[in-house]
Amino acid sequence: MSRLQKLVIGRVSLGILTLFVVSALMFVGIELLPGDLAQQILGQSATESTLAAFRAELGLDQPAHLRYFDWLGGVLRGDFGTSLASGREVSELLGPRLANTMFLATYAAVIAAPLAVILGLLAALWRNTLFDRGINLTALSAISMPEFFVGYVLILFLSIKAGVFPTLARIDSATGLWDALYRSFLPALTLILVVVAHMMRMTRAAIINVLASPYIEMARLKGVPRWRIIVQHALPNALAPIVNVVALNLAYLVVGVVVVEVVFSYPGLGQLLVDAVSSRDFPVVQAVGLFFAAVYITLNVLADIISIMSNPRLRHGR
């Protein structure tokens, strides 16, 4: 087995171990929450016998470690349990919400990724010009502002004052594609403004770093136009760090939708998670939290693998 294969297997194994640890920490965190879950669900008027029977039904009479491994075994079989609030299977609740969250994340990613690369290329092409300074100032401002603030600013100007887009992003399975794109434009724009700034700055830095290479200097001495140097020579050699940062920001797009979905009342996993926390619907909280953790860890592992594969010494076994 080559060193490259060992490193890739090591990263994947570490990702699986991290996900296992995160699932255990989530379970422990929920266990440490104050209050009696059965008492809160049934109310203060419930008798001790009723509470005991309900605890047995939920498995709360079992030791915590047995309940954790029972839950984990169910997850591996695709059984996330039953919602305490609605009595429905958690997987039934996750299905449509997951589709909505992935739609919003994909909507933002399709616009953000190419836009960030183009802006980064232009900033590197016109380095230290007014355009470069302006785009960097805008990027730093976008990075500095939290998502909820960006969302409320967009609502104020594009919804309340201009009346162009709806304040709430209400969509369902019956909503058509173009209508869904229109209704979810503001939450998507909020995510785009946050992630484009970071991806653009990293793209610019990667291009400028490659431009300092000797072969780029040789191309300049041969009289190759600057735009051609960047597009044909610098960009292909800077793809590895660019793809790496894009993968990390895609992870953020999926996990970071929680705040944005709450701001715009978007019916996704983030809104479901907040509602489940409010109602102490722990099976739903665990399932959504595990999904977010799995997506974030998977994309981070993918970014690590891309970085490893882009290393010529590892790729060619030297």
Side-chain angles (χ1 to χ4, degrees):
M1 184 181 294
S2 67
R3 186 185 175 193
L4 175 61
Q5 291 174 324
K6 290 180 180 179
L7 286 173
V8 171
I9 293 174
R11 290 295 188 277
V12 173
S13 302
L14 182 61
I16 295 173
L17 177 62
T18 304
L19 184 59
F20 174 77
V21 172
V22 169
S23 69
L25 290 176
M26 281 194 307
F27 191 89
V28 170
I30 290 175
E31 283 294 310
L32 294 177
L33 289 175
D36 185 351
L37 178 60
Q39 186 80 64
Q40 291 184 0
I41 294 176
L42 297 180
Q44 297 295 327
S45 59
T47 63
E48 284 299 326
S49 59
T50 304
L51 289 172
F54 190 62
R55 290 192 189 99
E57 181 182 347
L58 296 178
L60 297 176
D61 57 337
Q62 299 293 323
H65 67 281
L66 292 181
R67 285 188 282 114
Y68 168 71
F69 285 110
D70 182 60
W71 170 75
L72 186 61
V75 169
L76 295 176
R77 297 191 303 270
D79 180 12
F80 293 94
T82 304
S83 168
L84 301 178
S86 64
R88 296 172 58 190
E89 292 293 323
V90 174
S91 55
E92 294 180 11
L93 298 175
L94 293 182
R97 297 299 189 104
L98 173 59
N100 290 341
T101 292
M102 296 309 295
F103 171 78
L104 180 60
T106 303
Y107 187 2
V110 166
I111 298 174
L115 179 62
V117 173
I118 291 172
L119 290 176
L121 280 172
L122 293 177
L125 181 62
W126 296 322
R127 185 182 178 188
N128 296 326
T129 63
L130 186 61
F131 173 81
D132 183 31
R133 293 190 180 96
I135 204 71
N136 272 289
L137 178 62
T138 305
L140 285 173
S141 301
I143 293 173
S144 303
M145 293 185 291
E147 298 93 328
F148 69 88
F149 181 77
V150 176
Y152 286 131
V153 169
L154 293 178
I155 289 174
L156 175 63
F157 287 102
L158 296 181
S159 181
I160 296 176
K161 290 190 175 182
V164 179
F165 297 100
T167 303
L168 303 180
R170 300 285 190 181
I171 66 171
D172 53 40
S173 57
T175 306
L177 176 60
W178 294 111
D179 198 18
L181 291 173
Y182 168 71
R183 295 185 188 183
S184 7
F185 180 75
L186 286 186
L189 181 59
T190 303
L191 292 170
I192 289 169
L193 290 175
V194 174
V195 300
V196 159
H198 186 237
M199 287 193 289
M200 185 278 296
R201 285 176 59 82
M202 293 300 295
T203 300
R204 176 184 178 275
I207 294 293
I208 291 175
N209 184 56
V210 173
L211 287 175
S213 303
Y215 68 90
I216 296 294
E217 187 64 30
M218 181 63 67
R220 285 175 181 158
L221 293 175
K222 289 181 177 180
V224 180
R226 185 171 175 80
W227 67 268
R228 187 176 175 184
I229 290 175
I230 290 180
V231 173
Q232 294 187 359
H233 299 283
L235 181 59
N237 289 282
L239 276 180
I242 292 173
V243 172
N244 187 286
V245 76
V246 167
L248 293 176
N249 279 274
L250 289 179
Y252 173 79
L253 276 179
V254 177
V255 179
V257 297
V258 176
V259 175
V260 175
E261 288 184 0
V262 172
V263 169
F264 293 94
S265 296
Y266 185 84
L269 285 179
Q271 184 66 60
L272 177 64
L273 177 62
V274 172
D275 293 341
V277 170
S278 302
S279 60
R280 296 179 70 91
D281 195 349
F282 295 147
V284 175
V285 173
Q286 288 174 298
V288 177
L290 187 65
F291 171 78
F292 282 145
V295 170
Y296 192 80
I297 291 170
T298 299
L299 289 175
N300 272 271
V301 169
L302 180 61
D304 284 344
I305 292 175
I306 291 172
S307 297
I308 293 171
M309 297 292 292
S310 65
N311 189 325
R313 294 181 179 179
L314 296 176
R315 192 169 60 247
H316 298 295
R318 294 179 182 177

